[in-house]
Amino acid sequence: MWRRLGSAWNVRRGFSSAVRQRIEDEGDWSYSSEWWRADSDGHTVFRSISDKGNGLVSVVAYPSSQPNDVHWPEMERWLQRRQLEVLPVCEREGRFRILGYQWRALRFNDDTRQSTVKVMAAYRESEPGSVCLMQQPHCLAVPYLKSMLSAGLATIASCSYDIIEKAVHGKKTMNILCIGHGGGSLPLFLASKIKGALIHVVEIDPLVISASIKAMGFPAFSVMTQSDAENFVLDNNNLYDMIFIDAYDGDDIFPRKLWDPNSPFLKALSTQLHPEHGTVVVNLHSDSELLNPDGSVPSVLEQILPMGKYVSRIARAYKDVLVGNGKEGSGLGFTVSVPWVCNTSLVVCRGLQKSGGHLNRDFFMNTIMSKSLEVENLLDLPFSCLQYIKRGLMLVD
């Protein structure tokens, strides 16, 4: 739950006291102005050089206006109750007091904003010089994460709602693999909403793991695997219900070996996806500025093809390898555009049935939209799944 900082809190207490209309979703895009393009208000709390291709890894903190301080006493009481539940021997160590909330943005090379989370800072009255950071699991600040979750969960629910319903209440185990960790907001959100979730997190860069724990409030006791995604999958024999992939490097490139249809990675991934309802969700975005003026790929990038105009190529590779090329009942793939940012969510699922090898787009949209409302209510999500599903939905040929 906590990451303890060894000494007095040495970051600027620049928490905003501005009064704003309360929005249930603290990660709503209306708050993005507090951390997006707000360099003048931010200060660096973590900075180090990666030896895994991510360049300069840093975490920048920004003031957050929510939750308003009128809600802090309620949270302090919750912290006290939770501590006594987990560690009853700590009853005499003093009550918690909240210092405030901040956004924390993980960056590569001071340019690429890789992840953004919200953290709460608190201390015990008995130890005022030692501050704890707790990442807020209910707060997803970046729209593409909401898109991945909305599209992925609504899809698996469309072919096997039972697994979602039972897993949410802890009556069934739901095996989930997250490739790419960043600040950790995706696995933390899943763990907070699905009691039966058993989540494996794979991250190639130990520095990113360190940054998420030391500066972004990710739980230090969480189990993560520091490994190259391809090596992990090749050495693994687990069977997953859902797989989330968000694996961009310091140059904002999605490595070719993670999407090439002839790669060992995709072939091995196919053996670890549940045969009846297995669902893969991939975050893609445009790197079109890396292309030559005529749209061709620079020779230095031939092995790490950028996204953008090639989204359809990557989508087809995942669909063909994971569910086949259109056989009846084998599954399908689709993409949705992410609002506000230049990202696309790719979803490939084995469980959705097709008639004669074809699926009517309108029928599919009605099905997944209906299930998105059920998922939204079941998980008590702070945002609408529908707005992240209906935008630019395209079936993969």
Side-chain angles (χ1 to χ4, degrees):
M1 181 185 299
W2 294 103
R3 171 65 188 178
R4 181 180 296 281
L5 304 185
S7 58
W9 195 26
N10 60 0
V11 296
R12 185 181 67 191
R13 298 187 185 183
F15 297 102
S16 172
S17 59
V19 178
R20 302 176 61 175
Q21 182 179 359
R22 182 167 178 78
I23 298 176
E24 182 180 2
D25 179 12
E26 292 179 25
D28 189 89
W29 189 246
S30 62
Y31 293 128
S32 63
S33 60
E34 296 181 353
W35 55 269
W36 187 276
R37 302 183 187 279
D39 293 342
S40 59
D41 296 326
H43 59 285
T44 301
V45 294
F46 182 96
R47 193 175 181 88
S48 189
I49 299 295
S50 166
D51 61 1
K52 294 293 184 179
N54 287 325
L56 178 63
V57 176
S58 62
V59 177
V60 182
Y62 304 94
S64 172
S65 62
Q66 296 293 332
N68 189 280
D69 56 10
V70 299
H71 301 286
W72 295 3
E74 179 182 354
M75 177 55 70
E76 290 170 347
R77 290 190 291 271
W78 180 87
L79 287 172
Q80 193 66 23
R81 291 195 303 269
R82 183 59 178 157
Q83 176 187 246
L84 294 178
E85 290 174 2
V86 177
L87 297 170
V89 296
C90 295
E91 183 175 4
R92 297 182 180 179
E93 291 191 9
R95 301 184 65 85
F96 281 103
R97 289 290 180 258
I98 293 177
L99 287 171
Y101 293 79
Q102 287 182 334
W103 300 105
R104 297 286 177 99
L106 176 67
R107 291 188 171 187
F108 293 162
N109 298 313
D110 288 333
D111 183 26
T112 302
R113 185 179 285 99
Q114 208 279 342
S115 179
T116 300
V117 305
K118 178 177 286 188
V119 301
M120 176 182 66
Y123 67 95
R124 286 197 186 96
E125 291 178 329
S126 60
E127 301 177 82
S130 184
V131 176
C132 299
L133 296 180
M134 182 180 182
Q135 189 175 140
Q136 303 299 282
H138 60 276
C139 181
L140 293 176
V142 186
Y144 79 77
L145 291 177
K146 294 177 179 177
S147 173
M148 293 176 73
L149 284 165
S150 298
L153 292 173
T155 299
I156 195 173
S158 296
C159 61
S160 181
Y161 183 75
D162 181 67
I163 186 175
I164 292 285
E165 186 175 34
K166 289 184 177 180
V168 166
H169 299 296
K171 298 178 180 179
K172 185 178 181 67
T173 299
M174 186 173 185
N175 293 292
I176 301 173
L177 172 63
C178 293
I179 295 177
H181 175 63
S185 52
L186 178 60
L188 200 58
F189 187 90
L190 288 166
S192 70
K193 291 294 184 180
I194 304 176
K195 292 182 180 179
L198 180 59
I199 305 172
H200 293 168
V201 181
V202 179
E203 169 59 50
I204 191 174
D205 195 341
L207 190 61
V208 170
I209 296 174
S210 179
S212 73
I213 294 173
K214 292 181 178 179
M216 305 181 80
F218 190 80
F221 56 78
S222 299
V223 178
M224 284 182 279
T225 301
Q226 189 269 303
S227 173
D228 173 82
E230 184 178 49
N231 292 339
F232 175 85
V233 170
L234 291 175
D235 295 337
N236 185 30
N237 58 4
N238 293 316
L239 191 65
Y240 295 104
D241 301 297
M242 296 195 75
I243 299 174
F244 292 89
I245 302 175
D246 181 19
Y248 285 84
D249 63 17
D251 294 320
D252 223 11
I253 298 297
F254 187 46
R256 184 185 184 108
K257 68 179 181 179
L258 298 187
W259 63 263
D260 190 317
N262 299 312
S263 70
F265 172 79
L266 274 183
K267 293 178 180 178
L269 199 70
S270 180
T271 67
Q272 295 164 35
L273 189 63
H274 196 286
E276 297 178 0
H277 56 252
T279 302
V280 176
V281 188
V282 187
N283 172 46
L284 303 175
H285 66 253
S286 174
D287 293 324
S288 58
E289 70 272 15
L290 297 177
L291 300 181
N292 291 322
D294 62 355
S296 62
V297 182
S299 58
V300 295
L301 295 178
E302 287 181 349
Q303 298 303 311
I304 44 175
L305 190 66
M307 299 295 100
K309 64 181 293 185
Y310 297 98
V311 165
S312 60
R313 184 175 176 183
I314 292 154
R316 190 173 297 110
Y318 269 81
K319 175 182 174 292
D320 288 351
V321 175
L322 300 181
V323 304
N325 57 4
K327 297 178 182 179
E328 185 172 353
S330 61
L332 58 80
F334 69 93
T335 61
V336 289
S337 300
V338 182
W340 301 297
V341 292
C342 297
N343 291 65
T344 296
S345 294
L346 165 65
V347 180
V348 176
C349 177
R350 283 183 168 169
L352 291 171
Q353 299 296 311
K354 297 184 289 184
S355 176
H358 299 284
L359 183 70
N360 180 275
R361 178 182 180 276
D362 292 337
F363 175 80
F364 170 67
M365 281 197 66
N366 290 335
T367 300
I368 196 173
M369 287 168 66
S370 174
K371 286 300 179 182
S372 74
L373 296 175
E374 294 182 39
V375 168
E376 183 180 325
N377 292 329
L378 178 65
L379 274 67
D380 192 25
L381 296 179
F383 54 87
S384 168
C385 289
L386 197 58
Q387 69 171 319
Y388 294 98
I389 292 176
K390 64 182 181 180
R391 189 173 187 267
L393 189 150
M394 295 183 63
L395 295 176
V396 180
D397 294 334

